[in-house]
Amino acid sequence: DDEWYRIVVPELNPDAAALVTLLTVYGRRISEFLKLAPADFDPERSTLSLGRTKNGREVFLRLDPRVVEIMKRMPGWDK
């Protein structure tokens, strides 16, 4: 049930709302999201670069359009 999400996220500041949304939708480690910078976000392609694996392969997340809109609300991330 995602009722908690609909209640909590609108009350959060833009940075916290984006973090909670990313964690909820993608289930990745919080450390992967906390190290991100605006340059890692490409709203036109709806992608987020999470950096490189130990093998040197770059990891991208394909973002849901709703996630893109939430991320664009963060100061400095609205490219």
Side-chain angles (χ1 to χ4, degrees):
D1 185 352
D2 59 353
E3 182 178 350
W4 72 270
Y5 180 86
R6 288 192 301 274
I7 293 168
V8 171
V9 170
E11 302 299 321
L12 300 174
N13 68 52
D15 292 337
L19 179 61
V20 168
T21 300
L22 287 166
L23 290 168
T24 301
V25 173
Y26 299 102
R28 307 282 303 200
R29 293 184 189 110
I30 192 169
S31 61
E32 291 178 300
F33 295 130
L34 291 176
K35 66 180 179 177
L36 296 174
D40 299 318
F41 176 51
D42 186 341
E44 265 91 59
R45 290 188 173 144
S46 298
T47 59
L48 187 61
S49 173
L50 298 180
R52 297 195 177 276
T53 66
K54 292 177 187 175
N55 297 329
R57 196 187 89 201
E58 193 159 10
V59 177
F60 288 97
L61 283 183
R62 172 80 50 202
L63 300 174
D64 180 278
R66 293 170 291 180
V67 175
V68 171
E69 291 307 311
I70 289 170
M71 290 189 66
K72 285 168 60 176
R73 293 182 199 144
M74 294 190 304
W77 290 66
D78 57 348
K79 297 183 181 181

